[in-house]
Amino acid sequence: MLRSVGQRVVTGCDEDPRVVELRAAVSRLRRDLATHPADFADRVIAEDELAALDAMVAGGAPESPRLRRSLLLVAGSIGSVSALAVGLARVRNAVDLFGEPPH
């Protein structure tokens, strides 16, 4: 899927574009993590939580508080791996599309 900066994905169906964006970001980060050669202490946590995020978006629009919790776990587990920083930022930006959780 190719797109320019600022363009939204057109899916051709009634699927929520936020879900499409989050699914793409999670998928990309999962691939990046799978091909990252270095092993690090919290890799399994990141892999498990990315799988949970993937499952959440497969069911449609997930709950914002749950998304943010998962994002926090992923960021905490791979935050020090600079090679994954771009993918993590994409996931964060996609989670932000769902808005702030109620206070």
Side-chain angles (χ1 to χ4, degrees), residues 7 11 18 33 38 45 50 55 57 67 81-83 85 92-93 103:
Q7 287 184 327
T11 63
R18 301 172 305 166
L33 182 59
I45 294 169
L50 285 169
V57 295
L67 288 175
V81 182
S82 61
R92 188 196 76 237
N93 291 337
H103 296 285

Side-chain angles (χ1 to χ4, degrees), residues 42-55:
D42 293 333
R43 185 182 193 118
V44 172
I45 294 169
E47 290 169 344
D48 288 349
E49 209 54 42
L50 285 169
L53 274 168
D54 193 42

Side-chain angles (χ1 to χ4, degrees), residues 19-20 61 64 66 76 78 92:
V19 171
V20 173
S64 181
R66 177 65 176 111
I78 67 172
R92 188 196 76 237

Side-chain angles (χ1 to χ4, degrees), residues 10-78:
V10 177
T11 63
C13 65
D14 292 334
E15 192 169 21
D16 186 336
R18 301 172 305 166
V19 171
V20 173
E21 189 69 29
L22 182 56
R23 184 180 300 129
V26 167
S27 177
R28 177 62 188 252
L29 184 54
R30 288 181 83 185
R31 282 192 309 271
D32 291 349
L33 182 59
T35 60
H36 188 66
D39 198 19
F40 50 93
D42 293 333
R43 185 182 193 118
V44 172
I45 294 169
E47 290 169 344
D48 288 349
E49 209 54 42
L50 285 169
L53 274 168
D54 193 42
M56 278 188 266
V57 295
E63 297 175 7
S64 181
R66 177 65 176 111
L67 288 175
R68 293 195 177 284
R69 180 185 175 279
S70 290
L71 176 62
L72 182 61
L73 289 169
V74 172
S77 60
I78 67 172

